[in-house]
Amino acid sequence: MDRTSSRRQLAIFVAILAVSVLTIALFTLWISGRFARVEQRQDAIADASLIARIAAPIFVSNRSQAIDSLCKSFKDVFPGRVAITDSIGRVLGADIANPAELPSLTFMTDVSAAIQGKIGSMTHHDRLLGCDLVYLSHPIYLNQSIVGVVRVGR
C-alpha cells in the first residue's frame, strides 16, 4: 500500500466518522426537542385544566369583566398567554389585550376542538410576544355543558 492510498482511506474514514457523529448529534437534538414539546404540552394541559375549573363558577353569573380580570391576574404568575372565550369562541378575557378588540377565536383549530369537547393544540406565532407559542385549549364545563374555552400559550 502506498502513502496516497493510505491517506485516501484515512480521509474516507474521518469523513464517515464525522458524518456519523453529526448524525448522532442531530438525532439527539431532535429527540430532546421532541421530549421538551411533550413536557410543554403536558404543562399546558395542566394549566388549562386548572384555569377552566377556576373560571367555571364565573360563567354562572355571566360576568365578562370578572373573566377578563381573572385572565389579567395570571399575567404576572403564568409563564405564557391566557385567554377565555365563550362557547362560540368570542373572547371574554385576555391576559394582555382588551378582549373587546380581539377577533373571535373560533377559526383557531385548538379552540374549535375545545368547543367540541376535546383538548385542542396548535403552534402559532404570537404577535404581541413576537415568538411562536404552543397553544392548548381546554373546554370549560358547567353542569356538564361546555360554556367556554380556556386557551393557554407557552
Side-chain angles (χ1 to χ4, degrees), residues 41-114:
R41 186 174 191 281
Q42 289 171 339
D43 288 347
I45 289 171
D47 293 339
S49 177
L50 175 64
I51 295 168
R53 282 182 274 165
I54 293 168
I58 299 173
F59 277 85
V60 173
S61 60
N62 197 20
R63 296 184 315 151
S64 44
Q65 281 185 335
I67 292 170
D68 190 43
S69 294
L70 176 67
C71 290
K72 292 200 178 358
S73 71
F74 287 109
K75 179 173 51 178
D76 297 326
V77 295
F78 181 74
R81 300 292 313 273
V82 177
I84 296 177
T85 75
D86 61 12
S87 60
I88 59 170
R90 185 180 61 221
V91 180
L92 301 176
D95 56 354
I96 297 174
N98 178 356
E101 297 172 359
L102 297 174
S104 170
L105 296 178
T106 306
F107 64 93
M108 297 299 210
T109 57
D110 58 315
V111 175
S112 294

Side-chain angles (χ1 to χ4, degrees), residues 4-57:
T4 306
S5 178
S6 294
R7 285 185 181 163
R8 187 175 302 138
Q9 286 178 342
L10 180 61
I12 291 171
F13 174 75
V14 168
I16 291 172
L17 183 62
V19 168
S20 299
V21 168
L22 182 61
T23 301
I24 291 169
L26 289 174
F27 181 73
T28 302
L29 285 173
W30 179 77
I31 288 291
S32 64
R34 190 164 168 86
F35 282 130
R37 283 190 301 276
V38 168
E39 185 176 300
Q40 184 179 24
R41 186 174 191 281
Q42 289 171 339
D43 288 347
I45 289 171
D47 293 339
S49 177
L50 175 64
I51 295 168
R53 282 182 274 165
I54 293 168

Side-chain angles (χ1 to χ4, degrees), residues 106 108-121 137 139 146 149:
T106 306
M108 297 299 210
T109 57
D110 58 315
V111 175
S112 294
I115 289 171
Q116 297 170 13
K118 303 171 188 151
I119 294 176
S121 66
S137 292
I146 296 172
V149 170

